[in-house]
Amino acid sequence: MKRAVFGKTILTSVKANVTAGVAALALTVAMPAAALADTLADAMADAYKNSGLLEQNRAVLRAADEDVAVAVSALRPVLTWAYTVTHSFGQNRSASTGGAAVGFTNNDVTLALAAEQLLWDNGRSKKQIEAAKEAVLSTRQALVSIEQAVLLQAVDAYTRVRTAAETVALRENNVRVIIEELRAAKDRFEVGEVTRTDVAQAEARLAQARAAQAQAQGDLVSAQEYFLAAVGRRAGRLASPPTAPMTAKSAAEAKAVAQRTHPDVLKAKHDVAAADLAVAISEAAMKPTVALKGRYGLTETFDSTNFSHAGSVSVEASGPIYMGGRLSASLRQAMARRDVARSALHLTSVSVAQNAGTAFANLQVARAAREAGDRQVRFARVAFRGVREEATLGARTTLDVLNAEQELLNAQASLITAVANEYLASYSLLSSMGLLTAQHLRLGVPRYDPAAYYKQVKDAPALKSEQGKKLDKMLRRIGKE
């Protein structure tokens, strides 16, 4: 009778330590965001600011903006100059020299100015400007796609670090619990209540728990490195993420929003418009052009007072007659590329709708898994407490207690993963709908204005013009000069 009371006292002590460990774990997992340094919004804002991929594609967009300026320049006057110094030498024999060979040298300088203005090209230049503008709009949408990828990666990195940190806390608590179980098993063995087998089982389970703890700590280091790459800085103490953002209420709604707002669809539409214009440009290239040309030149000879001042103004009409079939091939090529762009739009629309529907289904699955995980943890905890109480009465072995504790641990680990998966799935759905942007999420970060640079260069400013000076200031402000 005395031995039974002693064993019950030992298990009561284990129960108190397990309860304290579970409470400590719950406190760690549910710590208020105000007590922690970094929020999910902070991580996404820093990823937006620090992303080299975004910076790279912003430069790609600025290059596309300049294509508009290049196209605009075709409708502007073209002014050129040429300065030539010529030294001529040789011999002349003619009747004026009496049939004798006479040497000569001349030193001439020529200065020429030329001007040309396109008057008419069947609308080809204007269509090239419109095509360049469509390319700019397409590149802007590509930049939005990159922005979505960067922000989704930040969410993924954030949830990975939090999941890994919570798993480490869970594994550490598990080690503490099993240490108490092992101590209780040894104490009961000393008084003859259990055999050496029970102690060995507890020893083996402790070794397993420590191995799992080491793996969890390694996973946390890996997650922190991923966070550094995705966000551009190391992770601090992470706050619990806020309520998952509102998404679509149905798969049909998700698909409809994606078709309207997803940057891949919008980019494909601009690509089709640019391809249509490319066909018109190829057709216009077969038509004649009219240009106004002017030239004025000055030639003076150093060795005499001879000089020549002359100028000319002309209107020139020209057009292709035969160019080896190049123009016809270019037209057919443009038409084929137009068909490619139209097919790409169709395929992109189908793919975006499919991805939105899949993302919605994944979110529903993740929510169901999280709800099931909640129930699993709740009942596994009840089962663990019951097995532990039964063990105090001698109805359960040490192995039964260890197995029940392991089931509770597995349920808690699964719940941690399920919560992270649900959160990531909600943001993945936003991304599939085209809404995972700094503007839509209202991140507290200065947003890059894709139209600012375009407004400065769309009229093809010269370097020394007032607009050119403003452009120089903008380049210095973003550190690109």
mmCIF file of all heavy atoms in Angstrom, residues 132-166:
data_model
loop_
_atom_site.group_PDB
_atom_site.id
_atom_site.type_symbol
_atom_site.label_atom_id
_atom_site.label_comp_id
_atom_site.label_asym_id
_atom_site.label_seq_id
_atom_site.Cartn_x
_atom_site.Cartn_y
_atom_site.Cartn_z
ATOM 1 N N ALA A 132 5.195 50.849 -78.749
ATOM 2 C CA ALA A 132 6.130 51.019 -77.628
ATOM 3 C C ALA A 132 5.380 51.283 -76.330
ATOM 4 O O ALA A 132 5.768 50.795 -75.263
ATOM 5 C CB ALA A 132 7.102 52.167 -77.931
ATOM 6 N N LYS A 133 4.292 52.039 -76.412
ATOM 7 C CA LYS A 133 3.485 52.294 -75.212
ATOM 8 C C LYS A 133 2.839 51.005 -74.701
ATOM 9 O O LYS A 133 2.776 50.770 -73.477
ATOM 10 C CB LYS A 133 2.402 53.338 -75.523
ATOM 11 C CG LYS A 133 2.950 54.745 -75.734
ATOM 12 C CD LYS A 133 1.824 55.725 -76.043
ATOM 13 C CE LYS A 133 2.360 57.144 -76.214
ATOM 14 N NZ LYS A 133 1.274 58.114 -76.531
ATOM 15 N N GLU A 134 2.359 50.179 -75.611
ATOM 16 C CA GLU A 134 1.788 48.896 -75.195
ATOM 17 C C GLU A 134 2.850 48.013 -74.543
ATOM 18 O O GLU A 134 2.574 47.296 -73.574
ATOM 19 C CB GLU A 134 1.166 48.173 -76.388
ATOM 20 C CG GLU A 134 -0.087 48.825 -76.956
ATOM 21 C CD GLU A 134 -1.262 48.788 -75.988
ATOM 22 O OE1 GLU A 134 -1.244 47.952 -75.058
ATOM 23 O OE2 GLU A 134 -2.188 49.595 -76.150
ATOM 24 N N ALA A 135 4.072 48.073 -75.057
ATOM 25 C CA ALA A 135 5.163 47.307 -74.456
ATOM 26 C C ALA A 135 5.460 47.807 -73.041
ATOM 27 O O ALA A 135 5.772 47.016 -72.145
ATOM 28 C CB ALA A 135 6.414 47.400 -75.327
ATOM 29 N N VAL A 136 5.354 49.114 -72.842
ATOM 30 C CA VAL A 136 5.558 49.675 -71.501
ATOM 31 C C VAL A 136 4.486 49.157 -70.549
ATOM 32 O O VAL A 136 4.778 48.722 -69.423
ATOM 33 C CB VAL A 136 5.532 51.219 -71.548
ATOM 34 C CG1 VAL A 136 5.398 51.798 -70.141
ATOM 35 C CG2 VAL A 136 6.796 51.740 -72.210
ATOM 36 N N LEU A 137 3.239 49.185 -70.983
ATOM 37 C CA LEU A 137 2.154 48.703 -70.130
ATOM 38 C C LEU A 137 2.307 47.218 -69.825
ATOM 39 O O LEU A 137 2.024 46.761 -68.712
ATOM 40 C CB LEU A 137 0.809 48.969 -70.815
ATOM 41 C CG LEU A 137 0.459 50.455 -71.024
ATOM 42 C CD1 LEU A 137 -0.838 50.587 -71.815
ATOM 43 C CD2 LEU A 137 0.339 51.171 -69.690
ATOM 44 N N SER A 138 2.765 46.454 -70.818
ATOM 45 C CA SER A 138 3.005 45.035 -70.593
ATOM 46 C C SER A 138 4.117 44.829 -69.573
ATOM 47 O O SER A 138 4.008 43.981 -68.677
ATOM 48 C CB SER A 138 3.392 44.372 -71.924
ATOM 49 O OG SER A 138 3.782 43.029 -71.728
ATOM 50 N N THR A 139 5.176 45.616 -69.673
ATOM 51 C CA THR A 139 6.305 45.485 -68.738
ATOM 52 C C THR A 139 5.895 45.897 -67.334
ATOM 53 O O THR A 139 6.384 45.328 -66.344
ATOM 54 C CB THR A 139 7.483 46.336 -69.226
ATOM 55 O OG1 THR A 139 7.782 46.023 -70.589
ATOM 56 C CG2 THR A 139 8.729 46.078 -68.393
ATOM 57 N N ARG A 140 5.008 46.871 -67.221
ATOM 58 C CA ARG A 140 4.510 47.253 -65.894
ATOM 59 C C ARG A 140 3.785 46.089 -65.225
ATOM 60 O O ARG A 140 3.929 45.841 -64.024
ATOM 61 C CB ARG A 140 3.561 48.452 -66.005
ATOM 62 C CG ARG A 140 4.249 49.773 -66.309
ATOM 63 C CD ARG A 140 3.236 50.900 -66.334
ATOM 64 N NE ARG A 140 3.820 52.155 -66.779
ATOM 65 C CZ ARG A 140 3.150 53.295 -66.939
ATOM 66 N NH1 ARG A 140 1.835 53.307 -66.681
ATOM 67 N NH2 ARG A 140 3.759 54.389 -67.350
ATOM 68 N N GLN A 141 2.984 45.368 -66.000
ATOM 69 C CA GLN A 141 2.271 44.230 -65.436
ATOM 70 C C GLN A 141 3.244 43.107 -65.060
ATOM 71 O O GLN A 141 3.029 42.408 -64.066
ATOM 72 C CB GLN A 141 1.224 43.717 -66.431
ATOM 73 C CG GLN A 141 0.104 44.701 -66.710
ATOM 74 C CD GLN A 141 -0.630 45.129 -65.450
ATOM 75 O OE1 GLN A 141 -0.841 44.329 -64.534
ATOM 76 N NE2 GLN A 141 -1.019 46.394 -65.383
ATOM 77 N N ALA A 142 4.306 42.954 -65.837
ATOM 78 C CA ALA A 142 5.330 41.970 -65.473
ATOM 79 C C ALA A 142 5.973 42.354 -64.141
ATOM 80 O O ALA A 142 6.286 41.483 -63.317
ATOM 81 C CB ALA A 142 6.390 41.885 -66.569
ATOM 82 N N LEU A 143 6.149 43.661 -63.913
ATOM 83 C CA LEU A 143 6.703 44.122 -62.646
ATOM 84 C C LEU A 143 5.760 43.812 -61.487
ATOM 85 O O LEU A 143 6.198 43.444 -60.388
ATOM 86 C CB LEU A 143 6.979 45.625 -62.720
ATOM 87 C CG LEU A 143 7.580 46.277 -61.473
ATOM 88 C CD1 LEU A 143 8.927 45.647 -61.127
ATOM 89 C CD2 LEU A 143 7.738 47.786 -61.682
ATOM 90 N N VAL A 144 4.454 43.931 -61.724
ATOM 91 C CA VAL A 144 3.476 43.589 -60.686
ATOM 92 C C VAL A 144 3.558 42.095 -60.358
ATOM 93 O O VAL A 144 3.460 41.701 -59.188
ATOM 94 C CB VAL A 144 2.053 43.968 -61.136
ATOM 95 C CG1 VAL A 144 1.025 43.496 -60.115
ATOM 96 C CG2 VAL A 144 1.937 45.478 -61.327
ATOM 97 N N SER A 145 3.747 41.263 -61.373
ATOM 98 C CA SER A 145 3.894 39.820 -61.122
ATOM 99 C C SER A 145 5.107 39.537 -60.248
ATOM 100 O O SER A 145 5.049 38.706 -59.330
ATOM 101 C CB SER A 145 4.030 39.068 -62.453
ATOM 102 O OG SER A 145 2.799 38.997 -63.130
ATOM 103 N N ILE A 146 6.202 40.233 -60.522
ATOM 104 C CA ILE A 146 7.408 40.064 -59.706
ATOM 105 C C ILE A 146 7.136 40.533 -58.279
ATOM 106 O O ILE A 146 7.552 39.891 -57.301
ATOM 107 C CB ILE A 146 8.575 40.845 -60.315
ATOM 108 C CG1 ILE A 146 8.935 40.294 -61.700
ATOM 109 C CG2 ILE A 146 9.792 40.798 -59.401
ATOM 110 C CD1 ILE A 146 9.396 38.863 -61.697
ATOM 111 N N GLU A 147 6.422 41.653 -58.142
ATOM 112 C CA GLU A 147 6.092 42.163 -56.810
ATOM 113 C C GLU A 147 5.280 41.134 -56.030
ATOM 114 O O GLU A 147 5.534 40.895 -54.831
ATOM 115 C CB GLU A 147 5.308 43.464 -56.940
ATOM 116 C CG GLU A 147 4.876 44.070 -55.619
ATOM 117 C CD GLU A 147 4.059 45.336 -55.797
ATOM 118 O OE1 GLU A 147 4.114 45.940 -56.898
ATOM 119 O OE2 GLU A 147 3.364 45.724 -54.846
ATOM 120 N N GLN A 148 4.313 40.502 -56.685
ATOM 121 C CA GLN A 148 3.508 39.479 -56.008
ATOM 122 C C GLN A 148 4.380 38.309 -55.558
ATOM 123 O O GLN A 148 4.225 37.802 -54.444
ATOM 124 C CB GLN A 148 2.411 38.975 -56.946
ATOM 125 C CG GLN A 148 1.294 39.963 -57.202
ATOM 126 C CD GLN A 148 -0.008 39.268 -57.566
ATOM 127 O OE1 GLN A 148 -1.077 39.620 -57.096
ATOM 128 N NE2 GLN A 148 0.064 38.241 -58.392
ATOM 129 N N ALA A 149 5.295 37.897 -56.417
ATOM 130 C CA ALA A 149 6.169 36.779 -56.066
ATOM 131 C C ALA A 149 7.057 37.125 -54.873
ATOM 132 O O ALA A 149 7.275 36.299 -53.982
ATOM 133 C CB ALA A 149 7.027 36.382 -57.271
ATOM 134 N N VAL A 150 7.562 38.357 -54.843
ATOM 135 C CA VAL A 150 8.429 38.792 -53.747
ATOM 136 C C VAL A 150 7.655 38.818 -52.430
ATOM 137 O O VAL A 150 8.136 38.343 -51.390
ATOM 138 C CB VAL A 150 9.036 40.173 -54.062
ATOM 139 C CG1 VAL A 150 9.672 40.804 -52.820
ATOM 140 C CG2 VAL A 150 10.070 40.057 -55.175
ATOM 141 N N LEU A 151 6.442 39.358 -52.457
ATOM 142 C CA LEU A 151 5.652 39.449 -51.235
ATOM 143 C C LEU A 151 5.193 38.072 -50.757
ATOM 144 O O LEU A 151 5.168 37.797 -49.550
ATOM 145 C CB LEU A 151 4.450 40.363 -51.452
ATOM 146 C CG LEU A 151 4.784 41.846 -51.717
ATOM 147 C CD1 LEU A 151 3.509 42.654 -51.907
ATOM 148 C CD2 LEU A 151 5.605 42.426 -50.577
ATOM 149 N N LEU A 152 4.838 37.187 -51.684
ATOM 150 C CA LEU A 152 4.428 35.837 -51.286
ATOM 151 C C LEU A 152 5.607 35.077 -50.682
ATOM 152 O O LEU A 152 5.439 34.315 -49.711
ATOM 153 C CB LEU A 152 3.867 35.077 -52.486
ATOM 154 C CG LEU A 152 3.283 33.684 -52.184
ATOM 155 C CD1 LEU A 152 2.151 33.782 -51.164
ATOM 156 C CD2 LEU A 152 2.800 33.021 -53.463
ATOM 157 N N GLN A 153 6.795 35.291 -51.231
ATOM 158 C CA GLN A 153 7.974 34.657 -50.658
ATOM 159 C C GLN A 153 8.237 35.170 -49.245
ATOM 160 O O GLN A 153 8.652 34.409 -48.365
ATOM 161 C CB GLN A 153 9.199 34.909 -51.543
ATOM 162 C CG GLN A 153 10.431 34.134 -51.099
ATOM 163 C CD GLN A 153 11.627 34.393 -51.991
ATOM 164 O OE1 GLN A 153 11.749 35.443 -52.611
ATOM 165 N NE2 GLN A 153 12.526 33.426 -52.059
ATOM 166 N N ALA A 154 7.974 36.470 -49.017
ATOM 167 C CA ALA A 154 8.137 37.024 -47.670
ATOM 168 C C ALA A 154 7.160 36.381 -46.696
ATOM 169 O O ALA A 154 7.518 36.069 -45.553
ATOM 170 C CB ALA A 154 7.943 38.545 -47.707
ATOM 171 N N VAL A 155 5.911 36.185 -47.132
ATOM 172 C CA VAL A 155 4.923 35.510 -46.280
ATOM 173 C C VAL A 155 5.382 34.084 -45.986
ATOM 174 O O VAL A 155 5.307 33.609 -44.843
ATOM 175 C CB VAL A 155 3.538 35.498 -46.956
ATOM 176 C CG1 VAL A 155 2.543 34.696 -46.126
ATOM 177 C CG2 VAL A 155 3.025 36.922 -47.143
ATOM 178 N N ASP A 156 5.858 33.402 -47.007
ATOM 179 C CA ASP A 156 6.341 32.030 -46.831
ATOM 180 C C ASP A 156 7.499 31.993 -45.835
ATOM 181 O O ASP A 156 7.545 31.138 -44.937
ATOM 182 C CB ASP A 156 6.784 31.471 -48.183
ATOM 183 C CG ASP A 156 7.190 30.008 -48.106
ATOM 184 O OD1 ASP A 156 6.671 29.295 -47.227
ATOM 185 O OD2 ASP A 156 8.025 29.585 -48.918
ATOM 186 N N ALA A 157 8.447 32.922 -45.985
ATOM 187 C CA ALA A 157 9.601 32.962 -45.079
ATOM 188 C C ALA A 157 9.154 33.248 -43.647
ATOM 189 O O ALA A 157 9.673 32.651 -42.689
ATOM 190 C CB ALA A 157 10.593 34.020 -45.556
ATOM 191 N N TYR A 158 8.200 34.157 -43.493
ATOM 192 C CA TYR A 158 7.707 34.516 -42.160
ATOM 193 C C TYR A 158 7.055 33.311 -41.483
ATOM 194 O O TYR A 158 7.339 33.002 -40.320
ATOM 195 C CB TYR A 158 6.708 35.662 -42.300
ATOM 196 C CG TYR A 158 6.303 36.298 -40.990
ATOM 197 C CD1 TYR A 158 6.988 37.402 -40.489
ATOM 198 C CD2 TYR A 158 5.232 35.813 -40.260
ATOM 199 C CE1 TYR A 158 6.618 38.003 -39.296
ATOM 200 C CE2 TYR A 158 4.847 36.399 -39.061
ATOM 201 C CZ TYR A 158 5.541 37.503 -38.595
ATOM 202 O OH TYR A 158 5.164 38.077 -37.404
ATOM 203 N N THR A 159 6.188 32.623 -42.218
ATOM 204 C CA THR A 159 5.498 31.470 -41.630
ATOM 205 C C THR A 159 6.466 30.326 -41.352
ATOM 206 O O THR A 159 6.299 29.581 -40.385
ATOM 207 C CB THR A 159 4.358 30.986 -42.544
ATOM 208 O OG1 THR A 159 4.889 30.692 -43.860
ATOM 209 C CG2 THR A 159 3.280 32.037 -42.683
ATOM 210 N N ARG A 160 7.492 30.194 -42.186
ATOM 211 C CA ARG A 160 8.477 29.135 -41.940
ATOM 212 C C ARG A 160 9.228 29.374 -40.635
ATOM 213 O O ARG A 160 9.440 28.443 -39.856
ATOM 214 C CB ARG A 160 9.480 29.066 -43.098
ATOM 215 C CG ARG A 160 8.971 28.395 -44.351
ATOM 216 C CD ARG A 160 10.119 28.056 -45.271
ATOM 217 N NE ARG A 160 9.668 27.675 -46.597
ATOM 218 C CZ ARG A 160 10.467 27.200 -47.543
ATOM 219 N NH1 ARG A 160 11.761 27.074 -47.298
ATOM 220 N NH2 ARG A 160 9.996 26.881 -48.729
ATOM 221 N N VAL A 161 9.657 30.629 -40.415
ATOM 222 C CA VAL A 161 10.401 30.918 -39.192
ATOM 223 C C VAL A 161 9.511 30.717 -37.970
ATOM 224 O O VAL A 161 9.921 30.126 -36.971
ATOM 225 C CB VAL A 161 10.967 32.353 -39.230
ATOM 226 C CG1 VAL A 161 11.576 32.738 -37.880
ATOM 227 C CG2 VAL A 161 12.032 32.474 -40.319
ATOM 228 N N ARG A 162 8.274 31.213 -38.057
ATOM 229 C CA ARG A 162 7.365 31.035 -36.909
ATOM 230 C C ARG A 162 7.076 29.552 -36.666
ATOM 231 O O ARG A 162 7.073 29.094 -35.527
ATOM 232 C CB ARG A 162 6.062 31.804 -37.151
ATOM 233 C CG ARG A 162 6.171 33.263 -36.754
ATOM 234 C CD ARG A 162 4.815 33.900 -36.556
ATOM 235 N NE ARG A 162 3.944 33.120 -35.687
ATOM 236 C CZ ARG A 162 3.921 33.208 -34.366
ATOM 237 N NH1 ARG A 162 4.747 34.029 -33.738
ATOM 238 N NH2 ARG A 162 3.073 32.483 -33.655
ATOM 239 N N THR A 163 6.833 28.811 -37.729
ATOM 240 C CA THR A 163 6.570 27.377 -37.571
ATOM 241 C C THR A 163 7.777 26.670 -36.958
ATOM 242 O O THR A 163 7.630 25.849 -36.044
ATOM 243 C CB THR A 163 6.240 26.753 -38.939
ATOM 244 O OG1 THR A 163 5.058 27.368 -39.463
ATOM 245 C CG2 THR A 163 6.016 25.256 -38.817
ATOM 246 N N ALA A 164 8.961 27.008 -37.468
ATOM 247 C CA ALA A 164 10.172 26.372 -36.940
ATOM 248 C C ALA A 164 10.405 26.744 -35.482
ATOM 249 O O ALA A 164 10.783 25.889 -34.668
ATOM 250 C CB ALA A 164 11.382 26.774 -37.791
ATOM 251 N N ALA A 165 10.171 28.019 -35.132
ATOM 252 C CA ALA A 165 10.374 28.445 -33.745
ATOM 253 C C ALA A 165 9.379 27.753 -32.807
ATOM 254 O O ALA A 165 9.740 27.313 -31.707
ATOM 255 C CB ALA A 165 10.230 29.966 -33.652
ATOM 256 N N GLU A 166 8.134 27.643 -33.234
ATOM 257 C CA GLU A 166 7.133 26.973 -32.403
ATOM 258 C C GLU A 166 7.440 25.479 -32.271
ATOM 259 O O GLU A 166 7.226 24.879 -31.206
ATOM 260 C CB GLU A 166 5.743 27.179 -33.008
ATOM 261 C CG GLU A 166 5.264 28.625 -32.910
ATOM 262 C CD GLU A 166 3.948 28.843 -33.644
ATOM 263 O OE1 GLU A 166 3.408 27.864 -34.186
ATOM 264 O OE2 GLU A 166 3.472 29.996 -33.660
#
